[in-house]
C-alpha cells in the first residue's frame, strides 16, 4: 500500500531549500540536524521523515546538541509569545508557586551540573512528572545524560515534524 504525502509533507518535499531550512530550524535549531533532514528529501511519508530526523539527531556532536538545546527555554519558563513553547510546556501552566520555585531551583542545579538546559519532551507531562524527571536525571553521569538529551530531542523533533507535515496548507506559520 502506498501512502500519499500530506499537504505539509508535499510542501517539505517541493518548497525552496531556504524556505524548508527556515521551517526546519523552528523544529530543531541545530544547523547540522537541519542539513541532514533537508538533504534526504523527498519523503514518501511522515515515517520516513521521522527516520531521517532520528538519524540526524544520532549524528549530532556535542556542539550540535548544544546549538539545538540553546533554542529550548527552561521548563516552567516558555518563550514569551511562542505558542509552540507554551503548548509544549502546558503541564506547568497550572503548577503551584511551590512547584514553579522548585523547578527553577532544579533547572539551575541541572544547568550547573551539565552546562546546558534540562531538555525533556514535556508534551503531555504534568509539572510533577517533569520535576521528577529532572530530579532523577540530575544523578546521571554525563555520558548517560547526553543520551537522554538525544532521546528527548528526537521525541520533541518528531512531534514538531508531525505538526509541520500535517499542516493543511503547507508550512505552518
Amino acid at each position: 500500500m502506498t501512502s500519499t504525502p500530506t499537504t505539509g509533507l508535499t510542501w517539505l518535499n517541493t518548497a525552496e531549500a531556504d524556505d524548508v531550512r527556515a521551517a526546519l530550524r523552528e523544529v530543531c535549531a541545530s544547523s547540522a540536524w537541519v542539513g541532514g533532514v533537508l538533504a534526504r528529501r523527498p519523503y514518501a511519508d511522515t515515517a520516513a521523515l521521522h527516520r531521517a530526523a532520528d538519524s540526524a539527531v544520532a549524528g549530532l556532536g556535542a556542539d550540535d546538541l548544544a546549538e539545538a538545546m540553546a533554542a529550548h527555554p527552561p521548563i516552567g519558563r516558555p518563550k514569551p509569545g511562542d505558542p509552540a513553547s507554551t503548548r509544549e510546556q502546558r503541564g506547568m501552566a497550572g503548577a503551584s508557586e511551590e512547584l514553579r520555585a522548585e523547578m527553577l531551583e532544579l533547572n539551575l542545579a541541572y544547568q550547573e551540573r551539565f552546562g546546558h538546559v534540562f531538555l525533556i519532551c514535556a508534551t503531555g507531562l504534568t509539572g510533577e512528572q517533569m520535576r521528577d524527571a529532572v530530579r532523577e536525571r540530575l544523578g546521571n553521569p554525563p555520558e548517560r545524560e547526553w543520551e537522554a538529551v538525544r532521546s528527548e530531542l528526537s521525541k520533541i523533533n518528531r512531534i514538531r515534524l508531525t505538526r509541520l507535515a500535517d499542516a493543511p496548507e503547507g508550512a505552518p506559520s
Side-chain angles (χ1 to χ4, degrees), residues 7-100:
T7 304
L9 188 58
T10 300
W11 178 86
L12 279 168
N13 285 334
T14 60
E16 294 294 322
D18 286 345
D19 294 335
V20 175
R21 185 176 289 108
L24 290 174
R25 289 214 31 107
E26 292 298 316
V27 172
C28 180
S30 166
S31 300
W33 181 87
V34 169
V37 173
L38 190 60
R40 291 179 177 97
R41 289 190 312 167
Y43 295 103
D45 53 27
T46 305
L49 176 61
H50 286 170
R51 285 190 299 276
D54 290 347
S55 176
V57 167
L60 296 180
D63 289 344
D64 303 319
L65 284 169
E67 181 183 21
M69 289 186 300
H72 288 270
I75 295 297
R77 296 190 334 224
K79 287 181 196 172
D82 181 358
S85 179
T86 301
R87 179 180 56 250
E88 291 170 352
Q89 292 196 29
R90 188 175 301 141
M92 286 297 295
S96 68
E97 286 306 313
E98 180 179 82
L99 180 56
R100 287 179 181 283

Side-chain angles (χ1 to χ4, degrees), residues 119-172:
L119 188 70
I120 188 167
C121 182
T123 301
L125 298 180
T126 65
E128 290 81 4
Q129 289 171 313
M130 289 181 256
R131 179 205 54 213
D132 294 347
V134 71
R135 280 180 179 167
E136 180 180 327
R137 286 176 47 194
L138 269 166
N140 281 348
E143 308 79 36
R144 184 180 306 150
E145 189 53 27
W146 276 117
E147 290 312 309
V149 165
R150 204 177 287 279
S151 174
E152 295 299 318
L153 183 61
S154 285
K155 291 177 197 175
I156 293 165
N157 291 352
R158 280 174 166 250
I159 291 168
R160 291 176 176 184
L161 282 170
T162 297
R163 288 183 65 81
L164 182 61
D166 289 349
E169 300 299 323

